[in-house]
DNA sequence: TCGCCAATTGACAGCGCTGTCATTTCTGGC
DNA sequence: GCCAGAAATGACAGCGCTGTCAATTGGCGA
C-alpha cells in the first residue's frame, strides 16, 4: 500500500526514529547514515504523511496567507502574491491555505484562533493592510505563530519584504517634472495604508526636489478603486487651474483618471499626463498604455515566504528585505501642451 | 490544553465513538443523544483536529482547486472562483488547497499523484481548460478522487456548474443585430476551450437567426489575451469591408479591440461597436464601458464546490447545474454610423 | 588498557481520532 | 410477557509519525 517511514527504516536497517531524524534534518545523524536513508527514501519514493506528522509532532507544514477581502488592493495583486507564495511552498514541501479575512463586520481574531486551533498553522504571510492590524499581530504573537509581512507600514520589527515605494513614487513624479509639468495632481489611496503614505510622501519629495510648491488642492483622497479614481479626477478637473498631470497612487485609480478624462473630452497624454503605480495587467490594456511603477509582487510573495520559512527553522537572519522597483514609461505621459 | 473528542464524551457521559458519530453526522445516533453531544461540543468549544481525523479516517476534509497557470483565463476570473470555493469550504468545515498546474512543460499527472499521496485530497475542483484534460481526469478517477467541474467542455458525464454560454453569446450578438449591425466580426478564444466553441457557435446562431450570412473572413483566431485581441482587431480593420461591430470572446480581447480601434483612430462606439464576455472588472474600467455578458464566477465556484461536497457525502443528486447569465449593456455598443 | 563524555541510535508511548466488531438496548409481534 | 431482529452504543486497536529518555558506540586522555 503506502510506503511508510517504518518501511524505509527496515530497508535501511535503522530505527524509525533515525529515519524521522533524517526527514527533519536533525543534525545528530552520522553522515553515512543520512546518505543511506535519503537514498532509500528516494528509491522507495517515500512521502511522509502530513497528517501523521502534524498529529505527532509540533509542526503542521502549513502556512496561511491572510488577506483582506473588503479593502483589498486589486485582486490581480493578490493573485500574483499568491503565486509567489505557492512557488516558495512548493520548494520547501509546505502547503498553503488562503484565508480571506473580512475586517469589516467579521471578527478577524476569531478567524486566527480557528486557523491555529484547527490547523496548527506553522506561520502566516500577511498582506497589506493586514500587516498593520495591531490586534491581529498581537494575537499571532500570543499564539506563538511567526509571520512575514509584505509591505508592512511599520518596518522596524517586521520580517518580510518591502519596496522603496517612496523613492519609486518620487521617481515617477520626477519623470513628470522632467517632461515639464508644473501642476501635478495626486490621488491618494486608502488612508493609513502604507502604500498611500509612502506614495504621497514620494510625490511631495519630488515636488520639493524640483522646487515646486506643494498645493493641497492638487491632492485628493481616493481609495484605490477605479471608481474613486474617477471621482477624484472629476474633482481635479473642476479646479480653476487644472493640473496638467496626475499621479494616481495605483493603476486602478489611474484608469479611473483616464476614464474621467475621456468623459470630459480631455485627450491623454496631449491634454493630461497620467501615471499610476503597481504595473498591473490593466496598465498595458488601457489606451494609451499607462506609465507606472512595476512592483514585483510575485517575487515579493516568494521572498516573504522564504523569509518566513527561514524563521520557522530558526535560521532567521532577516528582517525586511527590499526589492527594487522599475519605472515603466509608457504613452500616458508626455510634455504638457 | 486542547479540548478533545474524549473530553466531550466524558462531559456527555457517552463513549468517544458516539461523539465521533455525531461529528460525522452518522445516522445511527439517537436524536436525544445527538442533541446532548452537540450541545456539549458547542459549550466546550470543541474543534476536531483535522490531522487526527485525516490520519485515523479515510477523509482529509481537504479539497484542491486545480487551475492552469499557463493558459489561464484572466486571473480575476480565477480569483473570483477561488473566493466562491472558499465560501463553500468555510460553510462545510473543509479546507482548500490551491494547486496551479503548468500544463506545458511540467507533468500534471505527477502533481495529481503528489496531491493524493501527500494530502489524501478528498476531492478536486477543476477549472477550464483542465476540465477537459482527459489524462488528468482519468488519473483522478484511478485514484478514486471525485471532482467537480466549472464550465467543462464535455457536459454529459461531468458534475459541476456551467452557464449557457452559447445562448449568452447569441444574445449579445442579437443585441448588435438589433442595433442594426450587418457586418459583425468575432474574435475566437483559444482553440478547444469550451468557452471558445460555445461563444463562436452562439455568434453563428445569432447570425443565422437574423438571416445574416456567415463570413469566415470576419472570424479571427485569438487566445483570450489582450494582445491577441489587438492583433485580431488589426486584422479585421484591414478588411476591404470593415466590420461595424466586433464581438470578442472575452473582455480582455475586447479591451484589445478597443485599444486597436484607438490606435487606428476609430471612435467606439461611433465607428465601431465592441462587446466582450465575462464582465470582469476591466469591463467597467474601459472607456467607453464595455457591453458584455456577466458570468457569476464566484457563485459558480461556490456551487461547484457544494456539488462536490454532496458527492463526497454520497448525497450526489446532481450532474451539471446551470447558472443564468446576464447581459450587461453599456456604452461600447451603439447603432452603426 | 580503562573510564568518561559526546555523538549516535533506539525503544516506546501516545498525538486525537475512526474502523471493526462486539455488546447492549429497544422495538414490535405473538 | 417473551423473543427475534433492528437500533444504538461501546471497547479496542491502530492510523504514521515524533517526543522523551534510555542505550549504545566511538574517541581520547590518563
Amino acid at each position: 500500500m503506502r510506503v511508510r517511514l517504518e518501511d524505509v527504516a527496515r530497508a535501511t536497517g535503522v530505527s524509525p526514529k533515525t529515519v524521522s531524524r533524517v526527514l527533519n534534518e536533525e543534525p545528530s545523524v552520522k553522515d553515512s547514515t543520512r546518505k543511506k536513508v535519503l537514498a532509500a527514501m528516494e528509491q522507495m519514493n517515500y512521502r511522509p504523511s502530513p497528517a501523521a506528522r502534524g498529529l505527532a509532532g509540533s509542526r503542521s507544514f502549513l502556512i496561511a496567507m491572510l488577506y483582506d477581502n473588503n479593502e483589498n488592493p486589486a485582486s490581480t495583486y493578490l493573485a500574483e502574491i499568491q503565486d509567489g507564495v505557492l512557488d516558495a511552498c512548493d520548494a520547501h514541501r509546505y502547503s498553503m491555505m488562503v484565508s480571506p479575512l473580512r475586517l469589516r463586520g467579521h471578527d478577524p481574531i476569531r478567524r486566527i484562533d480557528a486557523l491555529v486551533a484547527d490547523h496548527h498553522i506553522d506561520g502566516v504571510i500577511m498582506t497589506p493592510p493586514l500587516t498593520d492590524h495591531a490586534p491581529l499581530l498581537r494575537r499571532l504573537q500570543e499564539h506563538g505563530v511567526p509571520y512575514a509581512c509584505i509591505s508592512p507600514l511599520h518596518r522596524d520589527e517586521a520580517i518580510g519584504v518591502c519596496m522603496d515605494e517612496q523613492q519609486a513614487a518620487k521617481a515617477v513624479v520626477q519623470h513628470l517634472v522632467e517632461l515639464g509639468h508644473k501642476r501635478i495632481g495626486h490621488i491618494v489611496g486608502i488612508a493609513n495604508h502604507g502604500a498611500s503614505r509612502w506614495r504621497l510622501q514620494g510625490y511631495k519629495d519630488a515636488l520639493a526636489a524640483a522646487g515646486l510648491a506643494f498645493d493641497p488642492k492638487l491632492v485628493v483622497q481616493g481609495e484605490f478603486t477605479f471608481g474613486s479614481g474617477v471621482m477624484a479626477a472629476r474633482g481635479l478637473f473642476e479646479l480653476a487651474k487644472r493640473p496638467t498631470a496626475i499621479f494616481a497612487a495605483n493603476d486602478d485609480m489611474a484608469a479611473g483618471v483616464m476614464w474621467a478624462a475621456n468623459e470630459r473630452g480631455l485627450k491623454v497624454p496631449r491634454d493630461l499626463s497620467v501615471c499610476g503605480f503597481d504595473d498591473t495587467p490593466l496598465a498595458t490594456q488601457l489606451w494609451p498604455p499607462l506609465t507606472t511603477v512595476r512592483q514585483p509582487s510575485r517575487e515579493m510573495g516568494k521572498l516573504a515566504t522564504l523569509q518566513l520559512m527561514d524563521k520557522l527553522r530558526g535560521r532567521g537572519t532577516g528582517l525586511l528585505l527590499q526589492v527594487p522597483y522599475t519605472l515603466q514609461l509608457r504613452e500616458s505621459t508626455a510634455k504638457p501642451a
Side-chain angles (χ1 to χ4, degrees), chain A:
Chain A
M1 184 26 232
R2 180 193 178 94
V3 182
R4 290 158 311 145
L5 184 143
E6 191 193 338
D7 303 323
V8 176
R10 198 162 14 224
T12 328
V14 299
S15 76
K17 180 66 213 187
T18 297
V19 178
S20 166
R21 288 193 176 97
V22 173
L23 190 61
N24 292 291
E25 302 180 27
E26 287 174 26
S28 67
V29 178
K30 215 202 302 181
D31 220 48
S32 58
T33 314
R34 179 191 315 284
K35 285 210 183 84
K36 262 194 311 185
V37 173
L38 284 174
M41 282 180 173
E42 172 74 16
Q43 197 265 313
M44 305 172 76
N45 190 29
Y46 167 70
R47 332 218 42 159
S49 148
R53 299 229 271 173
L55 183 56
S58 44
R59 292 174 303 165
S60 64
F61 301 91
L62 248 183
I63 67 171
M65 170 176 155
L66 256 51
Y67 63 92
D68 181 345
N69 220 5
N70 287 131
E71 272 189 11
N72 71 41
S75 69
T76 50
Y77 170 71
L78 287 175
E80 277 193 52
I81 293 198
Q82 181 178 306
D83 278 349
V85 174
L86 280 171
D87 281 350
C89 284
D90 261 21
H92 291 256
R93 291 182 160 278
Y94 265 78
S95 299
M96 179 198 73
M97 304 194 50
V98 272
S99 185
L101 243 51
R102 304 162 224 71
L103 277 196
R104 291 198 295 253
H106 279 261
D107 180 4
I109 300 288
R110 296 194 52 133
R111 182 83 180 208
I112 291 291
D113 290 348
L115 231 41
V116 174
D118 292 352
H119 298 281
H120 281 299
I121 296 292
D122 280 349
V124 172
I125 299 289
M126 305 283 279
T127 57
L130 300 180
T131 43
D132 298 288
H133 190 286
L136 215 57
L137 300 183
R138 199 178 319 120
R139 191 60 169 195
L140 283 173
Q141 275 157 1
E142 285 166 13
H143 281 301
V145 175
Y147 55 84
C149 295
I150 293 172
S151 301
L153 181 51
H154 303 297
R155 303 181 163 208
D156 347 297
E157 321 112 34
I159 79 164
V161 188
C162 67
M163 201 180 82
D164 191 340
E165 300 193 22
Q166 185 171 335
Q167 185 59 45
K170 183 177 175 188
V172 235
V173 176
Q174 273 180 331
H175 160 68
L176 293 172
V177 169
E178 281 159 17
L179 286 172
H181 293 275
K182 307 279 183 209
R183 293 186 57 74
I184 303 173
H186 177 51
I187 303 178
V188 187
I190 299 179
N192 292 322
H193 280 221
S196 308
R197 293 198 194 173
W198 299 319
R199 294 167 197 186
L200 171 59
Q201 192 53 52
Y203 163 79
K204 288 182 180 170
D205 291 351
L207 293 189
L212 294 172
F214 171 76
D215 179 353
K217 283 203 290 296
L218 287 176
V219 174
V220 189
Q221 184 68 47
E223 44 191 23
F224 283 139
T225 61
F226 175 82
S228 71
V230 174
M231 303 297 286
R234 281 179 184 153
L236 286 171
F237 295 158
E238 292 298 330
L239 290 179
K241 292 170 74 178
R242 251 200 298 115
T244 61
I246 296 180
F247 164 45
N250 77 345
D251 288 354
D252 279 11
M253 292 196 297
V257 172
M258 287 176 60
W259 197 97
N262 264 303
E263 178 189 51
R264 200 178 173 98
L266 297 174
K267 184 104 178 144
V268 174
R270 195 195 56 194
D271 307 318
L272 180 75
S273 284
V274 179
C275 47
F277 202 109
D278 284 346
D279 197 26
T280 59
L282 180 62
T284 48
Q285 299 180 3
L286 292 168
W287 177 267
L290 186 67
T291 290
T292 187
V293 175
R294 169 148 177 66
Q295 184 166 205
S297 314
R298 179 169 182 152
E299 195 61 19
M300 290 175 80
K302 183 165 178 177
L303 286 174
T305 309
L306 293 176
Q307 293 267 93
L308 176 62
M309 288 172 180
D310 276 354
K311 180 155 188 189
L312 292 181
R313 306 183 180 187
R315 296 192 197 157
T317 59
L319 297 173
L320 212 54
L321 289 182
Q322 194 168 77
V323 297
Y325 61 85
T326 327
L327 234 49
Q328 300 285 3
L329 302 183
R330 302 208 180 94
E331 286 77 50
S332 67
T333 46
K335 291 196 171 66

